[in-house]
Amino acid sequence: MKRPALTAVGTAALATALLAGSAVISTPATAGPAPEPHAAGLHEARVQDDFDSLGPEVQAAKVSSGRTAHYIDEGPRDGKPVLFIGGTGTSARAAHMTDFFRSTRESLNLRLISVERNGFGDTAYDKDLGKADFAKDALDVLDRIGVQKTSVIAISGGGPYAAELAGRAPQRIEALHLAAALPPYGRTPDYCALSDEELGKQLAPTIADPRKWWAFPDDSPTKQIPGFADTAYEEGARTYNQRGQQADPAPQVHEQKLYCERPGPDLSKLTAPVLLYSGKKDTTVPPSTIATWQQHLPGKPVVRSYADSGHDVQYRHWDQILVDLAGYPDRTVICVNGHSEMAKAATAEKLVAGGQATLGSCAWQQAGH
């Protein structure tokens, strides 16, 4: 598949393109004087020719098991497919939480696909389903929409499901990206010793209030993203109430108990490149889990470790993840002189070390002022 050219579009050119695609409001002579501009000479009222997106549409399809799978398929049909596997307690629409870099994703010609998991959002709960069932449903959805090979990005609790998929169908994975992803290997979490009832009682108050479920610390970079918190709360409400579940903790308990299963799948047949992303301040999926993944992955994965992030590295460095997903792991996203660049990794490292650039899009710098 042809990769998009590495080009930069200036703000002036972008503004010109936007204006060229819009329609000027014309006022009949009998309608009286036109409205005063908001700022003299600087603003003209315009009506756009196309709708702005309100986020991905959740679709439904019967799969080979007889179950109904719910999924999103966002982006150009000829774009590079990316299967997004969200963290625990997320619906198929969780990918919408990354739309703060939607323009970057579109410029990289990425097609974002996500398949909902058992009991969340629109998807009915079945206590007998496991990670292998999700992998099979995801493959069925990919077949249905005509995707043979896909890159995979798994976040947090999506890690064990990505491993399951990679173990079952390694030949269908173009590249595997794991962001603060929980490994299904090594020591089991402490809660695994609890009964389902005990774990449910612990989870119930948080599940009932999405503001608690999606709480990030005050110093989280997500606080810089306009509307991020409210979008996360809406996602939490959708996950646990969409079908009238009234925040029933049973699906969440079931999923978290699946994380206790050992051993994880054999990944020895995976030949696709693997990239691991970790926040050095992460206490939920700590940096030590990188070594756990490395023990069970073939080859030598690329590791991107960030001192500025905790369990929000997938959002703070989503710009870099997008560039990696597009097939440019040799490029590093930096901000230089107020402009975002996809620089060669060695060049970027020198500029950042010398204080002449910062990691990530300039949007992070502008939001901090």
Side-chain angles (χ1 to χ4, degrees), residues 309-332:
S309 304
H311 200 57
D312 47 20
V313 66
Q314 64 270 32
Y315 302 116
R316 171 57 181 88
H317 293 283
W318 184 244
D319 41 15
Q320 181 64 52
I321 293 173
L322 287 172
V323 169
D324 291 340
L325 285 166
Y328 304 110
D330 60 334
R331 301 280 177 152
T332 301

Side-chain angles (χ1 to χ4, degrees), residues 115-155:
V115 180
E116 201 161 72
R117 298 203 294 272
N118 179 28
F120 299 139
D122 286 293
T123 306
Y125 173 54
D126 184 335
K127 64 181 179 58
D128 295 323
L129 299 183
K131 298 190 294 293
D133 297 290
F134 167 80
K136 191 172 188 308
D137 287 352
L139 291 170
D140 281 353
V141 168
L142 293 175
D143 288 341
R144 180 184 178 87
I145 61 177
V147 172
Q148 181 57 36
K149 294 193 73 170
T150 182
S151 291
V152 175
I153 169 65
I155 291 172

Side-chain angles (χ1 to χ4, degrees), residues 84-90 94 97 117 131 152-163 176-185 189 191 213-214 216 252 255-256 259 275-279 282-286 289 293 310-315 318 321:
F84 179 99
I85 305 179
T88 188
T90 56
M97 291 173 58
R117 298 203 294 272
K131 298 190 294 293
V152 175
I153 169 65
I155 291 172
S156 190
Y161 292 92
L176 179 61
H177 303 252
L178 301 166
L182 184 71
Y185 311 100
Y191 68 75
W213 184 255
W214 280 103
F216 282 103
Q252 183 63 47
E255 174 151 288
Q256 292 195 205
Y259 296 155
L275 288 88
L276 302 169
Y277 308 83
S278 178
D282 195 342
T283 57
T284 303
V285 181
T289 57
W293 277 112
H311 200 57
D312 47 20
V313 66
Q314 64 270 32
Y315 302 116
W318 184 244
I321 293 173

Side-chain angles (χ1 to χ4, degrees), residues 177-256:
H177 303 252
L178 301 166
L182 184 71
Y185 311 100
R187 180 178 174 272
T188 57
D190 292 340
Y191 68 75
C192 293
L194 300 176
S195 68
D196 287 5
E197 183 180 3
E198 289 170 332
L199 182 56
K201 286 181 179 178
Q202 282 191 10
L203 292 171
T206 308
I207 289 174
D209 187 350
R211 292 168 299 181
K212 294 179 180 178
W213 184 255
W214 280 103
F216 282 103
D218 290 340
D219 65 348
S220 171
T222 62
K223 306 292 184 180
Q224 297 176 250
I225 304 169
F228 180 88
D230 284 315
T231 302
Y233 304 155
E234 290 166 1
E235 165 57 26
R238 180 185 185 89
T239 296
Y240 296 116
N241 296 279
Q242 178 74 1
R243 292 174 293 106
Q245 303 102 305
Q246 297 181 329
D248 179 7
Q252 183 63 47
V253 170
H254 179 71
E255 174 151 288
Q256 292 195 205

